[in-house]
Amino acid sequence: MSSTRGGDQLPLPLPFTRRQEAERIARRTGQVVSRVVQVVLRWALRLVLPLVCAAAALRAFPYEATVQGVPFEVRGTLLSRPGLSADTTLGSWEFPEVSGVPFGVHISPVDVDVLQLTRLAGGDLPGFVERMQADFTAQLPRIATWLIAEFLLGLVSGLLIAAAINMSVRYLRGLPRRPHELRYRSLQAAGAAAVTVTVAGYGVLSYNPNWVRDSQLTGTLAAAQLFPSELSAYYSQSNKALDVLGSVVGIQAALQAQIEDDQTPETALQIMTISDMHLSANYPLVARYAANYDVDLIVNAGDESAFGTRQELTPAYLEAVAALTETAPMLWVAGNHDSPATVEVMRSVPGVTVLGDKVATADGYAVTAGVVDAYGLTVAGLSDPRVYGGPGRYGADAADVVEPLQREAVREALGVLEDEEIPASEEIVLDEAPADGALGGDDPLVGDGSAVLDGIDAETGEPADALETIDVFAVHEPVAAEEVREVLPGRVRQTISGHVHAQNDSSEVQDEDGVIDLVEGSTGAGGLDNIVRGTGRPPIEFSIVSVATDCQFTRVIRFSIESTQPVLVAPPTADSPRDFGDDVTASTVYFRPQDIDPDRLCSTGLGISEERPWPLPE
């Protein structure tokens, strides 16, 4: 019996060929990708357009206020330039760490009558500042309402535009109108509102109550931190621009003084950190900075020369170093461009104390650590084990060679075995006594600076703890500083390094445990090193750290001067006041207090001890 009728035959399910299978997979993949792209584009439109419209509304409609007779504009920003800032034609004062939300508020004067401002400020700048603060604070609710309202208006406008575009695309594609369109759009608006509330909540949770302590100055306001003597001459000229400069800088100084008076203990000494001079002629400039800031101690993280030869350090160059150390003594460690000959020359410069040593060996170089007591602080240092042009890995630049060498040098110099740490309970033996006689012979140093013999305090006869803290540890390579912190956990309060010709970011200066890490830029702006490497000149960078009478590090001011223009070393003319300081940035970071002995005392009257080697017990 036939299985078909009328001669028809049912098609048999034959398997696909490889080509047909590939085409089928390609079609399905294309459909999936097309669907994903459509969804992503729709949601990108729904998210990006409201944000763009909100940012545009904030920018287009600033709040106009008058504070003590001075007209101001208050403008919000979204996604760009977060934080709070005050802008003037003389530079800006920025506070970037207000919260984790990328939202900013920026205040700038409008059509300021400089003579009126000068009269308003008068001779009582602190009083004028207090009145401005009170007047501005009274207007804060209205300013906040204005900014929030235009932000929400921008979001709603963006959502409406996104919905209109979406419906227009559906119409052009001939798609039918969806049922319950209004409810669908309402749900989208509710989702946007929920996201806005979530972001606002995150802003509240991430709010930094100490935002006022971390700031950045640019332009003439930053230059005012560097050149007070020049500004004194600057003010003496009769010019309207100079009048307003005096007022604005005075207002800024009064506000800064309020911050410091309210939250910062008395300063006992100032430490300047420099690095990577590379034979540049910047020492006279550094000396001026040191004098302007009453710097008491300079820590130099090395790379004094370019090729490590004795002849590079000319008499004129060394005279410039000696002129600086007449202002403030210098603690110096050798960098990878500094040979043993460079170390020997630097030891001969009056006022320079070389921490540790670098000597040639059969296959390279060996380095040791050194330590001094400086004004109540314990400062240690370790030179870089490399020398430019040295043999094998001692002259290498490749990171995979340099990093293990740096870590190995730190461990060998500190007497630490591989993967071993030195806990705070172990002793560190120091050979020589400091100049004031606080230590004796081979006695280990305890945290408060008193002498002990076999764990017994020399004065009281009671058991004493071994050295608990190194206040400052200077090295040349940042990776060496990292290794120091790892092998001496809880023992080092601050590390200072250089080498990379760029300061580390302000957010990286102090970690969650309170340890401070300063990576200094090239104070010599690269010098000959940049010619050798064929790279552009980096900024001239250095920092000034304030130390309180209780030995707490309180703040650091980090300066950066663009080296593409000549550095200003003479007073500017009255005809070009805006050119003064345009290439200067000054960032201030206030440190969180560290856990140290409450009875400690730091003072320049304590002096600086002789450098002594730092062997560890077997």
Side-chain angles (χ1 to χ4, degrees):
M1 183 175 179
S2 174
S3 60
T4 61
R5 293 181 181 180
D8 294 334
Q9 185 174 352
L10 295 175
L12 297 177
L14 298 176
F16 290 109
T17 65
R18 290 183 178 179
R19 180 178 178 180
Q20 290 173 327
E21 182 69 17
E23 290 175 351
R24 184 176 66 86
I25 294 174
R27 283 195 302 271
R28 288 186 178 180
T29 303
Q31 291 171 356
V32 171
V33 170
S34 176
R35 181 63 178 169
V36 170
V37 170
Q38 290 176 18
V39 172
V40 169
L41 288 176
R42 281 201 301 268
W43 279 104
L45 189 68
R46 294 166 184 165
L47 293 175
V48 172
L49 265 179
L51 291 176
V52 169
C53 290
L58 289 169
R59 183 174 182 81
F61 304 106
Y63 181 88
E64 297 181 356
T66 301
V67 179
Q68 284 295 303
V70 180
F72 284 91
E73 280 186 353
V74 182
R75 195 184 304 271
T77 58
L78 187 64
L79 301 178
S80 64
R81 201 182 178 188
L84 174 67
S85 71
D87 301 316
T88 75
T89 56
L90 303 170
S92 65
W93 194 15
E94 300 182 355
F95 300 88
E97 304 295 334
V98 178
S99 78
V101 175
F103 180 81
V105 178
H106 314 287
I107 306 165
S108 56
V110 180
D111 299 326
V112 175
D113 183 335
V114 294
L115 294 182
Q116 179 186 7
L117 179 59
T118 303
R119 288 195 297 269
L120 288 171
D124 182 20
L125 282 174
F128 182 58
V129 168
E130 289 180 4
R131 295 193 299 273
M132 288 187 69
Q133 285 180 316
D135 200 349
F136 190 80
T137 301
Q139 299 192 47
L140 281 180
R142 280 176 288 172
I143 294 173
T145 301
W146 178 275
L147 294 177
I148 292 172
E150 62 180 348
F151 173 75
L152 295 177
L153 180 62
L155 283 180
V156 172
S157 300
L159 287 171
L160 292 176
I161 294 172
I165 292 175
N166 184 261
M167 288 188 291
S168 299
V169 170
R170 290 182 62 85
Y171 175 78
L172 293 174
R173 294 177 60 189
L175 299 176
R177 181 178 178 182
R178 291 175 298 190
H180 310 296
E181 182 72 26
L182 183 59
R183 187 176 71 176
Y184 182 73
R185 297 301 173 186
S186 299
L187 289 174
Q188 287 185 346
V195 171
T196 302
V197 171
T198 301
V199 172
Y202 172 72
V204 172
L205 293 175
S206 62
Y207 174 73
N208 176 19
N210 294 319
W211 61 267
V212 75
R213 296 171 70 83
D214 297 341
S215 64
Q216 177 174 292
L217 294 169
T218 61
T220 303
L221 293 179
Q225 311 297 307
L226 291 175
F227 301 102
S229 58
E230 281 73 8
L231 287 177
S232 177
Y234 204 30
Y235 297 150
S236 66
Q237 305 178 57
S238 177
N239 185 291
K240 289 184 179 182
L242 306 183
D243 290 336
V244 74
L245 172 62
S247 297
V248 172
V249 170
I251 292 168
Q252 182 268 328
L255 286 168
Q256 188 73 52
Q258 270 194 359
I259 295 171
E260 295 175 3
D261 290 345
D262 292 344
Q263 305 186 41
T264 306
E266 180 184 356
T267 297
L269 62 132
Q270 306 263 42
I271 302 174
M272 174 185 282
T273 62
I274 64 176
S275 185
D276 295 84
M277 294 300 293
H278 285 296
L279 303 176
S280 75
N282 286 347
Y283 266 117
L285 196 62
V286 172
R288 295 182 66 188
Y289 302 156
N292 286 345
Y293 258 84
D294 295 324
V295 167
D296 302 291
L297 181 67
I298 298 168
V299 178
N300 188 335
D303 266 8
E304 201 68 39
S305 67
F307 306 107
T309 64
R310 186 186 303 269
Q311 291 75 18
E312 293 174 74
L313 301 177
T314 64
Y317 184 82
L318 297 177
E319 287 174 5
V321 179
L324 168 63
T325 56
E326 287 182 0
T327 301
M330 178 189 295
L331 305 179
W332 185 88
V333 295
N336 64 298
H337 282 252
D338 300 316
S339 67
T342 307
V343 174
E344 184 179 345
V345 173
M346 290 302 292
R347 286 193 194 277
S348 69
V349 180
V352 174
T353 298
V354 177
L355 297 178
D357 201 2
K358 176 187 285 191
V359 297
T361 62
D363 61 347
Y365 300 92
V367 292
T368 58
V371 65
V372 297
D373 302 309
Y375 306 138
L377 298 174
T378 302
V379 183
L382 174 65
S383 295
D384 193 295
R386 295 178 297 150
V387 172
Y388 186 80
R393 61 176 184 162
Y394 292 94
D397 281 329
D400 59 343
V401 177
V402 171
E403 182 170 335
L405 176 61
Q406 294 290 335
R407 296 186 183 278
E408 176 186 316
V410 169
R411 289 180 174 274
E412 287 183 355
L414 302 185
V416 183
L417 300 178
E418 188 66 27
D419 299 328
E420 179 187 12
E421 296 178 353
I422 304 178
S425 60
E426 292 189 15
E427 293 182 345
I428 294 178
V429 179
L430 303 170
D431 282 353
E432 296 182 22
D436 60 4
L439 300 179
D442 294 331
D443 297 340
L445 179 68
V446 298
D448 61 0
S450 60
V452 297
L453 182 61
D454 296 329
I456 304 299
D457 190 291
E459 295 183 1
T460 65
E462 299 295 328
D465 294 330
L467 175 64
E468 293 290 342
T469 302
I470 299 293
D471 296 299
V472 179
F473 205 119
V475 291
H476 181 65
E477 272 264 13
V479 68
E482 178 183 334
E483 186 70 6
V484 165
R485 296 191 298 272
E486 288 182 5
V487 301
L488 299 175
R491 302 281 296 277
V492 179
R493 295 176 58 203
Q494 179 179 152
T495 55
I496 296 173
S497 58
H499 181 68
V500 293
H501 293 190
Q503 293 175 333
N504 56 339
D505 190 76
S506 295
S507 62
E508 302 170 347
V509 165
Q510 189 173 29
D511 66 15
E512 295 180 355
D513 296 327
V515 179
I516 298 168
D517 177 33
L518 294 182
V519 180
E520 199 52 75
S522 175
T523 314
L528 293 176
D529 187 48
N530 286 84
I531 298 176
V532 173
R533 297 176 185 270
T535 57
R537 296 191 69 191
I540 299 168
E541 294 183 322
F542 63 93
S543 302
I544 297 177
V545 179
S546 297
V547 183
T549 53
D550 61 358
C551 298
Q552 288 280 5
F553 300 114
T554 56
R555 72 170 185 181
V556 60
I557 304 179
R558 315 196 78 184
F559 292 101
S560 179
I561 307 172
E562 293 297 331
S563 56
T564 54
Q565 303 175 15
V567 177
L568 286 171
V569 294
T573 64
D575 297 330
S576 59
R578 293 186 186 180
D579 294 336
F580 183 66
D582 284 351
D583 54 354
V584 182
T585 300
S587 302
T588 302
V589 177
Y590 284 82
F591 299 126
R592 302 188 307 277
Q594 297 172 316
D595 185 15
I596 62 174
D597 187 342
D599 297 326
R600 291 191 61 180
L601 173 65
C602 279
S603 168
T604 54
L606 296 177
I608 301 178
S609 72
E610 295 292 330
E611 188 265 348
R612 52 195 182 275
W614 187 12
L616 295 175
E618 296 295 335

